[in-house]
Amino acid sequence: MNTAFPGSARIVVIGGGAIGTSIAYHLAKAGERDVVLLEKTRLTEGATWHAAGLVGQFRSQQNLMSLMNDSVRLFDGLSADTGQEIGWKKVGSMRVAASEDRWQELLKSYSSARAVGFEMQMLTPSEAKKLYPLMQVDDLVGAAFIPEDGHVDPYSLTQAYAKGIRKYGGRVIEQVMVTDLVRDGARISHVVTDHGTIEAEIVVNAAGIWARQLGWMAGIDLPAGVVQHQYFVTEKTPDIPDDIPAFRDPDGGYYAKPEPGALAIGGWEKTTDCVNPKDGFPWENSRHLFDANIDRMEEVFLPAAHRIPLLNDLGVRTVINGPIPISPDGEPVMGPVPGLENFFVACAFTSGIAASGGAGKAAANWMLEGDPGLDLWAFDLRRFGGLHAGHLFLHDRAVESYTRYYDIHWPGKDLESARGVRRSPLYSRLRQVGAVMGTKNGWERANWFAHGDIPAAPQFGWDRPGQSETVGREHKAARETAVITDMTSFTKFEITGANACAALQYLAVANVDKPTGGATYTQLCNARGGIEADVTIIRRSDTCFWLITGSALGERDKSWLEHGIALFGKRTGTTPDVTIREITSAYGVLNVQGPRARAILQKVCDDNLSHDGFAFMTAREIRIGYAPALAYRVTYVGELGWELYIPMEYLEYTYETLMDAGASEGLINMGYFAVDSLRLEKRFLAWGADISPDYTPIEAGLGFLIDWTKGDFLGRDALEHQKETGLERKLAVLLLDSPLTVFGGEAVFHNHTVVAQTTSGNFAYSLGQPIALAYLPPDLARTGTELTVQSFGQTSLAKVVMHPPFDPKREKILC
């Protein structure tokens, strides 16, 4: 065995916890022999060693559940592969509901589980007690049981990964402190340690509670904070069965993990402390524990003792109050770092033990194949921007995400800390007229508007309480008169250079080589044909384009643009003359839509706005009163309308001018909730829900956008192959007969067999019925097919429609 300290390595993984060792294990097992894992002390001595070790697979999204399921499949065979026992106990897990709202949340989860073939059993209180006899069930509504869950020993699991690394040719080197990362342009060229310097092709930051400081060495801020998490272990008693399931009582805010003859009780309290938010967690604090916090322990103990009366007779043997990593939204942070070609992160895992197997597999795929093998947008580093990594924002949000971990996750409910940070000039004015704000990427955006006696306060519930009078009112105005929406939060890029057109032609599936003022709605695909971005591109001149994308997609889409332009350069053997500049803060956006939109805009504009004078999908400079604006005729709601891009200093004046002109035309303010219901009626798709890297434009019904005559473009070969060989799924609209509430994620059945999961859902106010989208097998993706949708324990017949159910001929748009 080579014991000399390496001077070079293809891949250096920094961090010897469950995540880092799993990544290195999967890389080595995939055939990467030159993998070196560095740990500054001993394996597990950050946060892994004191983790509870619960393994719960169920998550709100299909791909996240798949990642957790990959962990379980790995745990099933890891001991045999490595020769190291891991203490894997597949005893199942139970989640109880002590309120009707929590029960509805479990029923919603049950439908999602059935949609992906995941075994989840819904139990009555008496059935639940048979599986978990320690609890009293008098006040329970019901419970869910997942038989494939369990718990694992974190230390033994990590040691098994390490043995696997060595078995497959990688190296694990402990007690080596990384002191610097040498950055050479857009690459990390060397990893500097107290034992020597390693030249590296790829560097992985899996440093757990020290990941943020390691990021600083590379010149980047990572949204990875640290908070305290506490649990206690009871005295032993023969009254606790050995094979009892893991237990979660989210209404009580705690979990109970079985120990030999005892229970480990921990929770997600309503208070916790962030750790060294400004300076980072001290490097020397390995195997660090904080003093027990009795007030926080009482917050967990009291509800646990109510549910599990045995706890009242047991003493506390040990209290563990340790540091755990966490991101601003509570989900892990993974993926390539924007601006660096060879630096990868995998950190901020609050459930790192349960996720480690799947996360290691996905991370290895991401580095070796260019993508994780499934859409992991919910974990992707690029969902965050610079705002989220600031220590005040990061830790305010991290603490709130921690304290809300077991809250009911109401649809449309936003985090409440660190609010009001990014504001349109219209923020205060819209608040004054009843705007109920949500947040996206730090921006405050109107979800809906109060009116009359309706208070301007959020309302949450599984049946969309009150929305027929608020969202429905705005929806109706968009269809019958006109609405105005502040969409200033759109991310906007200016792309310039002699090769700008050619590069965008290579990246986009549609033809972007339009005359000045021409606009293109298009997808940017990867080599597999999967949709990496869904954007609008407006040609401003021969060498200048504007690219418009979603409020939260700026970091991701810019990263993909840079990646694609580099691929274009390799393809052409040139250094592309292309510059990307974000101009989001320079321009506000007002969206005016509806049958009276033209009449309103024409009152304050001298330009010819007729259909012949201003064609659909074109843009031109106009003046609205005194103010300059780029008017772009387009719609995301299925109505006549324009997006108006206005220099920020003119935005408030322009809004006032339009509202005055629209007063006699029925113009009202509209929020984003109504946009969602309107776009579904028109079968307009949302990236991250209906389309993603997991789906191609052809599967999504967007194949008509592909320009097969323009030459080569990224993903063309894969899309041509799919076109020739046929599809395995097609996106369809489902119109429900019964008034079930649907949000996306519901199971779809044909003849009692699950055939799909909905991607998004809402109430179609123009049609008077619920609506959803789902990818169906081709033989079922035909207008008129009858299916069944399950939601909250109830079912409804649903009819398939393969065209937009509202205005299928686009008569309202092209008028």
Side-chain angles (χ1 to χ4, degrees), residues 21-71:
T21 53
S22 177
I23 291 171
Y25 165 75
H26 281 89
L27 287 167
K29 192 171 183 179
E32 286 292 335
R33 296 293 177 262
D34 196 9
V35 176
V36 174
L37 182 138
L38 303 178
E39 164 53 43
K40 69 183 182 66
T41 53
R42 296 290 185 185
L43 299 181
T44 79
E45 292 191 351
T48 295
W49 74 275
H50 63 73
L54 287 174
V55 178
Q57 298 172 75
F58 190 79
R59 292 296 186 272
S60 59
Q61 298 182 39
Q62 177 179 343
N63 283 353
L64 303 188
M65 195 185 309
S66 296
L67 184 140
M68 297 296 181
N69 186 254
D70 283 342
S71 288

Side-chain angles (χ1 to χ4, degrees), residues 174-361:
E174 297 176 283
Q175 295 187 321
V176 173
M177 178 71 187
V178 174
T179 59
D180 197 12
L181 298 174
V182 178
R183 183 165 174 170
D184 182 8
R187 297 183 61 82
I188 303 298
S189 61
H190 295 80
V191 178
V192 182
T193 81
D194 58 359
H195 280 55
T197 298
I198 306 174
E199 185 178 3
E201 292 184 30
I202 298 173
V203 179
V204 182
N205 179 352
I209 51 181
W210 295 281
R212 191 157 159 251
Q213 290 106 292
L214 192 67
W216 291 340
M217 293 182 188
I220 60 168
D221 274 323
L222 290 174
V226 182
V227 297
Q228 294 183 22
H229 179 67
Q230 185 170 254
Y231 66 90
F232 63 89
V233 182
T234 70
E235 294 176 337
K236 292 189 176 185
T237 172
D239 295 330
I240 298 177
D242 290 337
D243 59 350
I244 198 167
F247 186 82
R248 295 173 178 85
D249 182 358
D251 290 309
Y254 68 92
Y255 58 81
K257 175 203 168 188
E259 297 273 338
L263 292 174
I265 309 290
W268 303 91
E269 313 95 316
K270 296 305 178 187
T271 56
T272 191
D273 296 312
C274 58
V275 181
N276 298 80
K278 186 175 181 180
D279 300 321
F281 194 67
W283 291 106
E284 65 272 14
N285 281 8
S286 297
R287 293 188 66 84
H288 183 80
L289 292 178
F290 304 99
D291 293 337
N293 187 312
I294 302 303
D295 291 339
R296 282 172 45 212
M297 191 167 76
E298 184 178 38
E299 184 183 338
V300 170
F301 178 81
L302 291 178
H306 165 73
R307 181 67 55 214
I308 308 173
L310 176 67
L311 293 176
N312 293 296
D313 302 322
L314 295 178
V316 172
R317 188 158 38 114
T318 307
V319 177
I320 303 293
N321 187 18
I324 64 168
I326 191 169
S327 74
D329 63 7
E331 297 290 0
V333 174
M334 292 182 65
V337 175
L340 282 170
E341 297 173 359
N342 67 332
F343 195 41
F344 191 95
V345 298
C347 58
F349 282 81
T350 57
S351 300
I353 306 304
S356 63
K361 176 182 176 181

Side-chain angles (χ1 to χ4, degrees), residues 198 208 263 283 300 364 376 394 409 452 485 585 587 691 706 740 801:
I198 306 174
L263 292 174
W283 291 106
V300 170
L376 285 185
L394 164 61
H409 296 288
T485 306
S585 299
Y587 293 89
I691 48 178
I706 301 173
L740 296 187
V801 178

